[in-house]
Amino acid sequence: MKNSKQSFKQGCQSYFEQIELSPAELDRLQALPERQGAKGVTGEQPLYQKAQRPLWLAWAASVFICALALAWWLPGSQSLRIDLAQQIADEVVANHIKLKPLEVVSSEMGQVKRYFTELSFNPFSSQRLLGSWQLEGGRYCSIQGIDAAQLRYTDSQGQLHTQYQVPDSPRWLEAFASDEGAGGGVTTRFSAGYRVAMWREKGVLFANVSAP
């Protein structure tokens, strides 16, 4: 990829260098107005004005061609492509590491979800969760600027898991599998050594952070 970037840059630079006038040519063009005046004897445009027009057109065409080539080339660069799933994984892992105090403490989902009155949905237990996981409570948070619920679980080995639930949005369509309930596909990303499993279920995007 680095070589393709260099060759593209060198190609544009070489093209522009080819259409630039030499110092001798510039001197001749600058001397033309003094020799011929604003117009020639026959009333035709001075030669330097005729020379400027194709030079300007060539420059504009060059910029346009390079812009088109750049627009075609950039989408193929993996380093510049935005990975929404990875952005969300990085965000939820950063929140998981902070381990802020729970705002509601309970092992009963019914009591926990009644706390989240300011959300546009009711948090619920996904069928993907293992039966051995124990709900500890939850707190408000946000994902990509959207209000969300953060739930905390512990498994049978005492490992801590943080689950995030955020309302489904059109912005998730290209990054995550379609909403097929508990049978939908799971998108997995890793951040700071943590595994983040993400899926869409019943109008909600789930992001579950597991211990490293």
Side-chain angles (χ1 to χ4, degrees):
M1 184 61 67
K2 183 176 181 180
N3 291 334
S4 63
K5 291 180 180 179
Q6 291 177 346
S7 60
F8 176 78
K9 181 178 179 181
Q10 292 172 353
C12 285
Q13 183 176 358
S14 298
Y15 182 79
F16 286 127
E17 289 176 349
Q18 290 175 3
I19 65 173
E20 290 180 354
L21 295 178
S22 64
E25 291 173 331
L26 289 175
D27 291 340
R28 286 198 297 270
L29 288 177
Q30 292 175 354
L32 284 175
E34 299 177 0
R35 297 176 183 175
Q36 298 183 5
K39 288 188 177 181
V41 177
T42 60
E44 296 181 355
Q45 288 182 331
L47 293 178
Y48 79 96
Q49 291 185 359
K50 293 182 179 180
Q52 284 181 339
R53 182 175 299 174
L55 179 61
W56 179 86
L57 291 175
W59 178 263
S62 301
V63 173
F64 180 72
I65 292 172
C66 285
L68 287 179
L70 188 63
W72 172 86
W73 173 76
L74 283 179
S77 174
Q78 294 294 334
S79 61
L80 296 178
R81 185 172 297 171
I82 297 176
D83 187 342
L84 179 58
Q86 187 62 53
Q87 287 185 345
I88 293 177
D90 293 339
E91 183 176 0
V92 296
V93 166
N95 287 331
H96 173 84
I97 294 174
K98 292 178 182 177
L99 202 64
K100 292 184 178 180
L102 296 173
E103 297 170 356
V104 53
V105 178
S106 176
S107 60
E108 299 293 331
M109 175 57 76
Q111 183 176 348
V112 170
K113 73 179 183 180
R114 284 194 295 270
Y115 171 78
F116 294 99
T117 58
E118 298 181 11
L119 295 179
S120 60
F121 71 101
N122 290 322
F124 61 93
S125 296
S126 172
Q127 298 179 22
R128 293 182 183 276
L129 293 183
L130 300 177
S132 60
W133 284 20
Q134 178 69 42
L135 177 64
E136 302 293 336
R139 58 176 290 113
Y140 281 101
C141 67
S142 66
I143 296 178
Q144 296 289 294
I146 301 177
D147 291 339
Q150 178 185 137
L151 306 180
R152 192 170 298 165
Y153 291 86
T154 54
D155 61 23
S156 58
Q157 298 179 349
Q159 295 270 357
L160 182 66
H161 303 263
T162 304
Q163 182 185 99
Y164 299 82
Q165 298 185 24
V166 63
D168 206 347
S169 168
R171 74 176 73 180
W172 315 136
L173 294 180
E174 296 183 0
F176 304 99
S178 60
D179 185 349
E180 299 177 3
V186 177
T187 299
T188 303
R189 293 291 186 274
F190 292 88
S191 179
Y194 291 86
R195 178 180 181 272
V196 183
M198 292 164 281
W199 67 93
R200 298 168 62 210
E201 181 179 343
K202 298 179 182 179
V204 174
L205 174 66
F206 283 75
N208 198 85
V209 181
S210 298

